[in-house]
Amino acid sequence: MGTCVSYFGWANWLNYELEQVQLNIRKGRWDAALSNIRFLRILQPGSPVNDYLFAAAIREQDPESAIQALEKLIKDPNGEAFQESALIYLDLCIKLGRGDQADAIIKLMAPSMGENINYMMLHARRLAQQGNLAQAMEELTYLLKISPNNSEAQWIRAQILLSQPRVTNWIEAKAALKEAAQMPDKYGLDSIIALGSRPEIKLFPDERLWLVQKIENHPYANVEAHLMAATQKIMLDEARKKEIVTQTISQHGNQTPLVVGRWLLAVDEPEIAREFLDRVDISASPELWVLQYRLALQDQDLERIKELLDVDYSAANDIQRKTLQALIGLNSIGANSAQAWDEAFSMAEKSQEQASMLALARAAGSKEWWEKAEKAYLITIDLSTDQLMKANAKREYLSVLLARGKTAEALKVSTELRELFPFNPVFQNNYFYFRALLGLENENQTQQFAKLIEENQVKSLNATYAFLLYLDGDYALAQQKIEDLPDWLKVQADVKLLKGLITGKLGNQEQAIEIISQINPENLLPEEKSLREEALKSLNPSK
């Protein structure tokens, strides 16, 4: 006897495959989804649903083929699977920047869509893409009244708000992202990542901890998300950075070495990144070349830069070639290095190639081209779209500001870094010292700083503590704190100046004059120079 499948058995099988393919698409399991679709083509040959699901399964990896598969399904608004196909088609047109095609399908869809939430979402995205931000926000606000827990709507709303350079918008965007982050779906995860990476959004330590917990418990959390969690842990406690980095490499290094390598560079660990890439098995590729290029830039390693040009020059784009040539030119006798730097930076700025811009900023600083370095860092910081990369660039920029004697600007950057890293004693120290130096004293600042020293047990902080005590008139304790400093710090110009000032206040004028006179004023900030000049006048009024 032959065998056959009953109608109910066939229907159950069909429903099972439909459920499985939709589940696999939601989970991003593309190969499994395509396997389900092969069965569906047998179970329901010629059905438009098969083509719609096929397009949904390949849309991320091959959007062009997905659009082609959908084009025959969107011709008839009354056809089977029209709505589902049209929604994917519109989404792809928006992502690929095909405005005319997007507008055409919107015109075709509008009469039958009504208050379809997915359509309203895509329409709002298209309005935002066209620059009609007010209309897009109005549509999203209405959508959220209908569907208050819609994470995608909150996420899109936040992107629009973040595109507007106003602090009030950024605060509102943060609130929208926190709402979306509550949902255990793709847009909830995207919102968590945006909260942890967008430099416009300021997070408090408890919010960073909340982000880490959200990622660790999120059903869609991928390697990128877990690397974001590791970044938040570092920002919470930089003292544990090496431990966190080692743990992260152990968990994700073998699975996605190139992604982890890029992350190691982002958290400013080039040496660990190099050691890691040397020991993992990665085939040569343009992606690996770019990662090695960024490592060489971060180290300003000229020999490695030359090797990269010689070994795989074809992998470099024009900006990268110009940058490498400029860096080599900076160290070549007779080369017009300043002009080469200008050309390379101009090209990198136009294309917003941040790795090249940062490398050229560092190179300008090493050549003591302070004006070029300051401009380069400012532009790089402004264009950076990642919190930690922006913060690392600001750390380096701070050195350039101090070299140029710009104390007020240095305080501004130090304040921003202190907000990002509230437990970092160096940023706390800079904040208190620059404020005191500029005469912007806080109430109870000496007591606050004493508590900071007690919490951190870092002896180098005693220099700023001594300065605050000096301003308070507690010269004996200030002198004691100077004596407690490490030897390497006692020879710094600003510390020697402070020692001279305190010595003079304690009555030993000759010794104070000797200490202060030996200090090269070129090694002091403008406000420190003024203190030196005033002290010499008061200690030796006859001169």
Side-chain angles (χ1 to χ4, degrees), residues 359-397:
L360 290 164
R362 288 172 179 148
S366 67
K367 295 288 284 187
E368 297 187 2
W369 296 342
W370 299 124
E371 188 174 343
K372 289 181 186 293
E374 183 175 353
K375 172 191 169 186
Y377 274 114
L378 271 174
I379 294 170
T380 304
I381 289 165
D382 185 55
L383 292 175
S384 179
T385 55
D386 179 86
Q387 277 187 0
L388 192 56
M389 289 180 72
K390 187 186 280 277
N392 287 334
K394 283 182 179 179
R395 295 181 203 229
E396 298 175 23
Y397 176 51

Side-chain angles (χ1 to χ4, degrees), residues 121 144 147-159 172-195 210-211 214 218-220:
M121 202 103 60
L144 284 165
S147 178
N149 295 324
N150 195 302
S151 59
E152 185 179 0
Q154 290 284 21
W155 185 81
I156 295 169
R157 186 166 168 269
Q159 302 312 304
E172 196 175 342
K174 177 181 175 181
L177 289 170
K178 288 185 79 172
E179 282 289 327
Q182 302 291 349
M183 301 304 294
D185 58 20
K186 175 187 177 297
Y187 287 99
L189 182 63
D190 287 345
S191 298
I192 291 169
I193 291 172
L195 281 166
W210 174 80
L211 276 187
K214 278 286 180 187
H218 203 285
Y220 287 88

